[in-house]
């Protein structure tokens, strides 16, 4: 039985065995190129997938998943290598074939006892993903670290730690689904397209567009002080009815002929968060979000492209403009930011990094990351689809995550962390 900690809260106990390396059955050697879009978001992403089958226990789960990993890594061989720095000072993969890190573990309770995994909980959920001890930077963390934790009820959790420079959400999803197909003895539905040179910078590079995603904004509202408070993590569910109501509110003044769920929800939470953080009217604030460029590049990127096919776009305005204008104003800004993402803009973003090596700045910024279109819930290793799946933690305090929710995935969960006093204001604005 999982024990309650001294303050009465649930405390998950997980016993991890020693990590092993799972090399691919065969591999290509050499250096593997990562694009400028990969360089930009080299953060560690931790996710978990909970499986439980009525007809099949978890006795063989680790063995089957580990065996399938050595086979699927043949197709995805860069994952078995190690990150290093190229002669140009950029991240690159050294395809050593060392293998992914794999850990078997056991939990002392039933899977249901973990509670609500739709809310990031780094303390509890973090125990289900193996952290490489003593790693001082991302170069010391292998591109793929996997942990299979068996629970007393016959269920198990696959916890993954992957570097975003290897995959974006879609690429990661295709990899995990391919791994599941391999475990079930099936051919890969979407074989990976590994040649990332299709997105290399032009020679000579030319930045044809302004790239405000990199703009450093001064925090004149002193929000940094707020962040010294205790951080609270919450998830807010927007069901189809609430989403419809929000879209109607965005269009009621007749300024916008149409708007998508993403546009309405992004604009709404951007306003709500700016207000919750007590931004001064003259405070510049920036919204950043990723747009999938796969179909927007000319020619479009081939199916199965496993690198980052996403490009960050942005909106910039003052908090005053955001809050004093109707919702249609901020939705309009989001629509402009989406429209901006053309082949020319994306090539310019790739070249801008080539010239400046700049990283997107997160000062006075909200970064929205959308997983609501990713079908992580379809992954099947032979125990059926996951009963639950999601992130372990939000990568940065400036990030808000949109996750699809419910049986038909029609609802959206909005996940975020805010300082306690700001969360109170944010929660009030979610009631509409």
């Amino acid at each position: 039985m999982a024990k309650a900690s001294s303050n009465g809260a649930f405390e998950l106990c997980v016993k991890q065995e020693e990590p092993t390396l799972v090399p691919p059955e065969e591999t290509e050697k050499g250096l593997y190129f990562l694009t400028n879009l990969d360089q930009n978001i080299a953060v560690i992403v931790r996710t978990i997938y909970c499986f439980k089958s009525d007809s099949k226990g978890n006795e063989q789960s680790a063995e089957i998943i580990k065996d399938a990993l050595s086979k699927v890594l043949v197709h995805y061989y860069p994952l078995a290598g190690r990150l290093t720095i190229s002669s140009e000072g950029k991240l690159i993969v050294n395809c050593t074939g060392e293998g992914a890190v794999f850990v078997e573990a056991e939990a002392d309770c039933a899977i249901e006892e973990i509670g609500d995994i739709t809310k990031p909980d780094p303390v509890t959920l973090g125990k289900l993903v193996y952290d490489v001890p003593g790693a001082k930077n991302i170069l010391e963390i292998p591109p793929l670290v996997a942990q299979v934790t068996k629970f007393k009820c016959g269920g198990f959790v696959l916890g993954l730690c992957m570097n975003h420079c290897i995959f974006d959400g879609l690429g990661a999803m295709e990899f995990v689904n391919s791994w599941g197909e391999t475990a079930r003895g099936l051919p890969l539905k979407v074989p990976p397209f590994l040649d990332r040179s299709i997105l290399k910078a032009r020679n000579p590079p030319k930045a044809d567009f302004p790239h405000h995603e990199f703009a450093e904004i001064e925090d004149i509202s002193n929000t940094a002080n707020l962040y010294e408070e205790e951080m609270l993590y919450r998830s807010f569910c927007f069901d189809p009815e609430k989403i419809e109501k929000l879209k109607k509110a965005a269009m009621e003044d007749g300024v916008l002929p149409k708007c998508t769920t993403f546009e309405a929800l992004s604009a709404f939470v951007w306003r709500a968060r700016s207000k919750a953080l007590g931004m001064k009217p003259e405070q510049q604030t920036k919204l950043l979000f990723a747009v999938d460029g796969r179909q927007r590049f000319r020619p479009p990127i081939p199916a199965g492209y496993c690198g980052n096919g996403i490009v960050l776009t942005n909106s910039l305005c003052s908090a005053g403009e955001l809050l004093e204008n109707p919702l249609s104003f901020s939705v309009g800004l989001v629509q402009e930011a989406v429209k901006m993402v053309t082949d020319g803009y994306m090539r310019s973003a790739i070249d801008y990094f080539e010239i400046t090596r700049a990283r997107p700045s997160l000062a006075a910024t909200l970064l929205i990351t959308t997983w609501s279109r990713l079908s992580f819930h379809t992954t099947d290793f032979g125990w059926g689809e996951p009963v639950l799946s999601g992130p372990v933690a939000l990568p940065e305090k400036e990030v808000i995550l949109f996750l699809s929710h419910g049986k038909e995935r029609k609802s959206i969960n909005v996940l975020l962390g805010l300082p306690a006093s700001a969360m109170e204001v944010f929660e009030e604005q979610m009631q509409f």
Side-chain angles (χ1 to χ4, degrees):
M1 183 54 203
K3 61 178 186 294
S5 65
S6 53
N7 62 3
F10 167 82
E11 191 181 332
L12 175 66
C13 287
V14 173
K15 188 169 158 284
Q16 292 172 325
E17 291 180 17
E18 281 303 305
T20 56
L21 286 173
V22 180
E25 290 179 348
E26 54 188 81
T27 184
E28 291 190 34
K29 293 286 205 294
L31 293 173
Y32 178 73
F33 169 77
L34 298 177
T35 72
N36 290 349
L37 298 181
D38 299 323
Q39 308 289 329
N40 252 338
I41 24 185
V43 294
I44 299 294
V45 181
R46 296 175 176 86
T47 46
I48 57 172
Y49 305 80
C50 307
F51 297 95
K52 192 175 176 184
S53 160
D54 295 334
S55 56
K56 192 172 174 184
N58 61 11
E59 302 77 29
Q60 288 185 293
S61 54
E63 196 183 322
I64 287 170
I65 288 173
K66 187 177 182 178
D67 182 56
L69 181 57
S70 67
K71 293 183 169 69
V72 80
L73 284 177
V74 174
H75 304 277
Y76 286 90
Y77 67 87
L79 270 181
R82 295 295 178 263
L83 284 172
T84 186
I85 301 291
S86 72
S87 54
E88 294 181 342
K90 289 186 193 174
L91 286 171
I92 194 165
V93 181
N94 186 8
C95 297
T96 56
E98 279 171 73
V101 174
F102 190 87
V103 177
E104 294 183 43
E106 281 192 23
D108 61 346
C109 63
I111 219 163
E112 295 77 16
E113 291 179 63
I114 316 174
D116 179 12
I117 79 146
T118 59
K119 192 167 88 204
D121 175 0
V123 178
T124 300
L125 305 182
K127 294 176 183 174
L128 301 171
V129 180
Y130 182 71
D131 272 329
V132 175
K136 292 185 284 297
N137 56 49
I138 56 166
L139 299 180
E140 295 180 8
I141 302 172
L144 172 63
V145 177
Q147 175 177 318
V148 172
T149 308
K150 296 176 187 174
F151 283 75
K152 290 262 189 279
C153 57
F156 67 94
V157 170
L158 173 63
L160 297 181
C161 170
M162 294 198 271
N163 194 312
H164 210 307
C165 71
I166 302 290
F167 293 127
D168 60 13
L170 194 64
M173 182 189 83
E174 286 173 350
F175 163 69
V176 176
N177 287 346
S178 295
W179 186 359
E181 285 155 7
T182 306
R184 287 179 289 140
L186 302 172
L188 305 194
K189 210 178 275 175
V190 187
F193 179 89
L194 293 173
D195 179 12
R196 300 191 186 199
S197 66
I198 57 168
L199 295 185
K200 64 173 189 280
R202 295 170 290 198
N203 190 6
K206 51 182 194 295
D208 308 316
F209 290 79
H211 288 282
H212 297 304
E213 61 270 35
F214 300 98
E216 194 71 61
I217 300 173
E218 193 188 340
D219 178 19
I220 60 169
S221 309
N222 224 346
T223 59
N225 282 1
L226 269 182
Y227 279 99
E228 289 168 13
E229 290 177 23
E230 180 201 0
M231 285 289 281
L232 295 180
Y233 293 91
R234 295 276 184 274
S235 66
F236 299 91
C237 184
F238 286 76
D239 58 22
E241 202 179 319
K242 206 167 178 179
I243 290 169
E244 219 30 65
K245 200 172 159 189
L246 195 57
K247 286 160 84 168
K248 267 206 181 88
M251 294 190 291
E252 67 188 358
D253 59 6
V255 174
L256 305 172
K258 61 180 195 304
C259 89
T260 66
T261 296
F262 174 79
E263 290 160 357
L265 202 49
S266 299
F268 180 66
V269 299
W270 185 20
R271 291 176 79 193
R273 182 177 175 273
S274 302
K275 184 172 184 179
L277 289 171
M279 289 186 179
K280 292 180 173 173
E282 63 277 21
Q283 171 73 60
Q284 281 291 303
T285 173
K286 179 169 57 178
L287 173 69
L288 284 181
F289 58 91
V291 172
D292 184 8
R294 283 168 173 75
Q295 293 305 311
R296 291 170 181 253
F297 277 107
R298 293 287 166 263
I301 293 178
Y305 180 79
C306 75
N308 285 277
I310 54 173
V311 177
L312 284 176
T313 185
N314 69 90
S315 287
L316 255 183
C317 76
S318 72
E321 285 177 287
L322 209 53
L323 297 171
E324 287 154 24
N325 279 300
L327 183 59
S328 59
F329 172 79
S330 37
V331 173
L333 291 179
V334 176
Q335 291 182 343
E336 286 304 310
V338 174
K339 221 179 283 165
M340 204 156 70
V341 184
T342 58
D343 179 74
Y345 177 84
M346 295 186 292
R347 300 276 174 196
S348 170
I350 291 168
D351 290 5
Y352 185 89
F353 182 86
E354 192 68 19
I355 299 160
T356 64
R357 299 293 168 93
R359 304 248 172 243
S361 164
L362 293 180
T365 295
L366 166 60
L367 172 55
I368 292 179
T369 167
T370 318
W371 288 22
S372 45
R373 296 194 199 94
L374 302 175
S375 53
F376 281 105
H377 54 277
T378 60
T379 301
D380 183 357
F381 288 89
W383 282 263
E385 294 181 356
V387 282
L388 285 168
S389 61
V392 167
L394 295 167
E396 303 279 351
K397 66 181 191 305
E398 296 85 2
V399 172
I400 288 185
L401 194 55
F402 291 176
L403 279 169
S404 55
H405 184 65
K407 266 283 170 264
E408 294 180 355
R409 312 270 154 198
K410 295 261 168 55
S411 298
I412 292 181
N413 257 348
V414 173
L415 275 55
L416 78 157
L418 278 174
S421 62
M423 186 60 88
E424 208 174 303
V425 182
F426 190 87
E427 283 182 318
E428 281 165 17
Q429 293 175 89
M430 293 299 108
Q431 313 304 321
F432 67 92

